[in-house]
Amino acid sequence: MVQTFQITITGQVQGVGFRPFIFNLAKRYGWTGQVSNNENGVLVHINGETAEVMSFVDDILLEAPEVSIIQSHRVDSIAFKQFEDFTIAPSAKDSKIAMPLTADFTICNSCRLEIRDPSNRRFQYPFTTCTQCGPRYSITERFPFERKYTSLSDFEMCSSCEFEYSNPSDIRFHSQTNSCPDCGIKMQLLDAKGSEMALEQNAIIEKTAELLSQGAIVAIKNTNGYLLC
């Protein structure tokens, strides 16, 4: 008999591509339902039969995103809900956080290849990220982990980034840190008096390297403080 099940997954499951992973897995199964973040972790509602749902949960545990850490999961049968499709729903916000903070992740190999490829639109773009890499803890202002609750909220995605964000087959599907040279953060190089040096983006790094080779001290501001070089 088809029932509605609620699957609660806790651990390091926000900011790691867990919702798009669940979305694509549910589509593979042909489920209807929804997935969202809440302040406990990830919440999934699906309609299906008991044995198939247990198989679905087994696949979640086996195929979860590499950078995720599942600490616990629970499956409950709840009152039947009608769903027309499977969707990523707006996150529910409760009053109390009961989950570990997600750490910042070093750049993944896929993004590394992009910023080294002269034909890629993110060539030499230093803030390239995807669901598997980039800042998390250092940009989070409150939970659940959504772009509007991070320091990236002021940067509206361009049409190209929006397309990636909305494409289930893209590595940036529902990537909350998604940006590119057209819509993302811009670098600045300031002198000791705080005046901006008029330089192109790529020239800023070259100039910084030149200053360091001349013995200058450079304070590099990043997402979680300053690095003195």
Side-chain angles (χ1 to χ4, degrees):
M1 183 179 70
V2 174
Q3 304 174 66
T4 299
F5 291 88
Q6 176 174 287
I7 305 169
T8 306
I9 305 166
T10 68
Q12 184 172 282
V13 291
Q14 292 190 16
V16 295
F18 216 95
R19 286 180 300 172
F21 157 68
I22 292 289
F23 176 92
N24 283 310
L25 184 61
K27 287 290 188 181
R28 196 168 86 198
Y29 269 79
W31 296 129
T32 59
Q34 65 180 28
V35 58
S36 65
N37 284 341
N38 66 11
E39 299 204 4
N40 294 308
V42 170
L43 192 65
V44 185
H45 291 111
I46 55 172
N47 289 336
E49 296 187 358
T50 302
E52 293 175 323
V53 170
M54 292 302 106
S55 177
F56 176 72
V57 172
D58 287 342
D59 283 345
I60 291 175
L61 301 179
L62 286 171
E63 301 177 27
E66 184 178 351
V67 292
S68 67
I69 301 173
I70 297 176
Q71 292 182 339
S72 70
H73 69 282
R74 175 173 173 166
V75 184
D76 297 293
S77 177
I78 62 173
F80 186 79
K81 294 183 179 181
Q82 183 67 46
F83 298 100
E84 298 301 321
D85 200 354
F86 196 91
T87 60
I88 296 178
S91 296
K93 189 176 188 308
D94 299 321
S95 59
K96 191 170 169 184
I97 296 173
M99 59 176 293
L101 297 173
T102 302
D104 296 340
F105 298 115
T106 188
I107 187 170
C108 69
N109 288 332
S110 178
C111 288
R112 194 189 307 274
L113 289 172
E114 287 187 51
I115 65 174
R116 291 176 176 176
D117 180 2
S119 65
N120 192 283
R121 72 190 189 93
R122 288 187 172 86
F123 178 57
Q124 294 187 340
Y125 177 58
F127 306 104
T128 297
T129 67
C130 70
T131 57
Q132 298 301 291
C133 71
R136 301 294 190 267
Y137 171 80
S138 59
I139 63 169
T140 298
E141 296 176 348
R142 59 188 173 118
F143 275 84
F145 185 74
E146 299 281 0
R147 191 182 184 95
K148 64 183 177 181
Y149 299 145
T150 73
S151 55
L152 281 170
S153 59
D154 292 336
F155 297 89
E156 184 176 350
M157 283 186 277
C158 64
S159 59
S160 296
C161 286
E162 281 281 5
F163 179 79
E164 294 169 334
Y165 183 87
S166 304
N167 182 2
S169 63
D170 197 283
I171 62 170
R172 296 185 174 89
F173 179 49
H174 269 263
S175 172
Q176 303 304 313
T177 57
N178 195 20
S179 68
C180 74
D182 294 331
C183 63
I185 303 165
K186 299 292 189 292
M187 290 187 294
Q188 293 178 306
L189 182 60
L190 311 180
D191 63 20
K193 296 181 180 179
S195 299
E196 184 178 354
M197 300 183 187
L199 295 168
E200 295 293 330
Q201 290 291 292
N202 292 344
I204 288 176
I205 293 178
E206 294 175 358
K207 182 63 177 178
T208 301
E210 178 187 331
L211 289 169
L212 289 171
S213 68
Q214 294 171 354
I217 297 173
V218 180
I220 302 175
K221 182 181 181 182
N222 56 36
T223 51
N224 54 7
Y226 284 86
L227 177 66
L228 290 180
C229 300

